Amino acid sequence: MPTPSERRALVLLSVVAVLGVAARLSGATRSAAVATPEQLRALDAQIARVESARTERRARTARSGGASKSSGPSGGSGAPGITTPRAPSSPAQRDARRALVDLDVADAAAIERLPWIGPALAERIVANRQRCGPFGSLEALQRVPGIGAGIARRLEPHVTFSPTSRPMSAPAGCTSAGKRAAPRDRGRSS
C-alpha cells in the first residue's frame, strides 16, 4: 500500500501526463488548419518562381553545354537603362527570359537587366538595400530615390523579394516617406 506522499506524487505524474497528451492533441489540430486563398495564391506564385528558376538554369546549362552562341547583336532600344532582349527561339529560352529577379539579393548587374532600370538606379537600389536592409515588397522598394509608384508597378511582373525578416526599426532615411525625389532637369531655365 502506497503512502500518502507517494499517492500525491502518482496523482501529480498522472496530471502531468494527461496535460502533455492534451497539449499534443491541441497542437496537432492547429497545424492541420486550412490555408486561406491569399496563402494559396502566394504558394502558387512561389512555385511558379521556382519552376521558372529551374527552367532558366536548364536553359543556361543547355546553352553553355554545347550550343554555339550566335555573334549577332543582342538588341536594345538605344534609350539609356532600357534593354530589349532578343526574341527567344525556344520555350526554354522564353521561360528563362521571364525569370524573376530577387531584389533582396540580386547584384547591380542583374538589377540593371530589368526594364526601366539603368546603371545608376541599379547602384542606388543596391546601396539602399545595404544601408537599410532588404526591401520585402514593392512599397518598400519605393524608398529608393528615383523609384516611384509608376516604376514599381512596371517592375512588378519582373521582380520578387526574399522572405527574410526585416528589422523592426529602420535607420534614419530608410522610409519611403522620408525619401527625396530624384532631381529632374527638364530643360527649363529659372
Side-chain angles (χ1 to χ4, degrees), residues 19-65:
L19 289 175
V21 169
R24 283 186 176 241
L25 288 175
S26 172
T29 57
R30 278 191 219 139
S31 67
V34 178
T36 65
E38 292 169 349
Q39 291 171 328
L40 291 174
R41 281 192 298 273
L43 181 61
D44 289 340
Q46 184 65 26
I47 290 170
R49 287 184 207 120
V50 168
E51 290 300 320
S52 175
R54 285 181 180 163
T55 304
E56 179 183 5
R57 185 178 316 136
R58 286 186 206 121
R60 199 177 317 137
T61 303
R63 281 194 307 261
S64 65

Side-chain angles (χ1 to χ4, degrees), residues 43-101:
L43 181 61
D44 289 340
Q46 184 65 26
I47 290 170
R49 287 184 207 120
V50 168
E51 290 300 320
S52 175
R54 285 181 180 163
T55 304
E56 179 183 5
R57 185 178 316 136
R58 286 186 206 121
R60 199 177 317 137
T61 303
R63 281 194 307 261
S64 65
S68 63
K69 297 182 180 180
S70 66
S71 59
S74 63
S77 66
I82 300 177
T83 58
T84 307
R86 281 184 294 200
S89 58
S90 72
Q93 288 176 333
R94 242 187 327 275
D95 289 341
R97 195 176 108 214
R98 283 189 217 130
L100 299 174
V101 174

